[in-house]
Amino acid sequence: MTATLPVHTDSHGHYESPATTGRRDKMGVSFLILADFVFLLSLIFSYFYLRALNTTGHWIPSDSHVAKNWQGWVVTLIAILSLLAYRSGLSGIRNGSQSKLVSGMSLALLLIVVDLGAQIWQWSNFPFLTTTGGYASAMIMLAGANCFHLGLTIFLGIGMFNRSRKGRYTKDDFSQVSLVGLWWAWIALSSVMVSVTALFTN
């Protein structure tokens, strides 16, 4: 003989209140962004450390080249446009517009895919190798980190697009859209940080 205990759920089928799960999810995303911020900051610190140290003139050797800054800013611009598209979708669901949410998510995802392609193109066309000097190795690492960021964002974007398309979010329940929006904003900001860092070559 077995006994069953009653399970208390709300109208959404949650085992805990949406406020409780929302706070916990937001804390988790915040810690993820904080950890990634520290990681990126360590890469930027390494960049400036190697630049300042310039051991035997090997920061940028005399016979080497530097990356074209405009290429990095194109990557950053696309990331910012993707964030704006995402924010448009978020604004739509806040006002109860499912169609605006879906269109915003689809455009944001498309732009992030394009951005990853642009970053890979820049990465593969750097006029140097990791062994060229301190600047070269630092730039290749920063580009690789951004590729990781964009790849993870695409994974999240696919999930958000599918759930939006299936009508999983409403005007009264869109906390996941807001949480992923925090990561999307961080990706745009991190791209700006990398592009600004790359301006300091000599």
Side-chain angles (χ1 to χ4, degrees), residues 1-2 14 37 69 84 105 124 131-132 148 197:
M1 182 176 179
T2 59
H14 295 133
F37 171 75
N69 284 327
L84 293 176
M105 291 297 105
S124 61
T131 55
T132 302
F148 171 77
T197 297

Side-chain angles (χ1 to χ4, degrees), residues 85-97:
Y86 191 98
R87 297 291 298 179
S88 174
L90 176 58
S91 174
I93 196 60
R94 280 176 174 162
N95 294 316
S97 174

Side-chain angles (χ1 to χ4, degrees), residues 94-133:
R94 280 176 174 162
N95 294 316
S97 174
Q98 288 283 345
S99 59
K100 191 173 181 180
L101 172 65
V102 174
S103 61
M105 291 297 105
S106 58
L107 181 56
L109 176 58
L110 175 62
L111 286 169
I112 281 295
V113 171
V114 171
D115 204 24
L116 177 59
Q119 180 62 86
I120 292 174
W121 179 84
Q122 184 199 26
W123 195 10
S124 61
N125 286 279
F126 277 148
F128 42 69
L129 302 172
T130 54
T131 55
T132 302

Side-chain angles (χ1 to χ4, degrees), residues 6 25 38 44 57 69 73 82 91 99 124 126 130-131 149 154 200:
D25 291 347
V38 172
I44 292 174
N69 284 327
W73 282 106
S82 179
S91 174
S99 59
S124 61
F126 277 148
T130 54
T131 55
H149 283 153
I154 289 173
F200 297 89

Side-chain angles (χ1 to χ4, degrees), residues 44-198:
I44 292 174
F45 173 81
S46 297
Y47 180 100
F48 284 108
Y49 176 77
L50 291 172
R51 175 175 173 268
L53 195 62
N54 194 20
T55 304
T56 63
H58 277 77
W59 166 242
I60 302 177
S62 57
D63 58 343
S64 65
H65 303 279
V66 298
K68 297 177 180 177
N69 284 327
W70 68 265
Q71 295 176 351
W73 282 106
V74 167
V75 172
T76 296
L77 177 61
I78 298 173
I80 293 173
L81 292 175
S82 179
L83 173 61
L84 293 176
Y86 191 98
R87 297 291 298 179
S88 174
L90 176 58
S91 174
I93 196 60
R94 280 176 174 162
N95 294 316
S97 174
Q98 288 283 345
S99 59
K100 191 173 181 180
L101 172 65
V102 174
S103 61
M105 291 297 105
S106 58
L107 181 56
L109 176 58
L110 175 62
L111 286 169
I112 281 295
V113 171
V114 171
D115 204 24
L116 177 59
Q119 180 62 86
I120 292 174
W121 179 84
Q122 184 199 26
W123 195 10
S124 61
N125 286 279
F126 277 148
F128 42 69
L129 302 172
T130 54
T131 55
T132 302
Y135 166 81
S137 60
M139 284 296 295
I140 289 172
M141 181 62 73
L142 286 169
N146 198 39
C147 283
F148 171 77
H149 283 153
L150 295 172
L152 180 55
T153 307
I154 289 173
F155 175 77
L156 294 173
I158 291 172
M160 296 305 298
F161 171 72
N162 282 334
R163 291 178 66 85
S164 299
R165 183 175 53 85
K166 293 179 179 180
R168 298 292 180 86
Y169 304 114
T170 66
K171 182 178 181 180
D172 300 318
D173 186 9
F174 59 90
S175 60
Q176 284 187 350
V177 185
S178 297
L179 289 176
V180 175
L182 294 177
W183 174 261
W184 225 278
W186 160 241
I187 291 307
L189 176 59
S190 67
S191 188
V192 171
M193 292 170 63
V194 170
S195 292
V196 170
T197 297

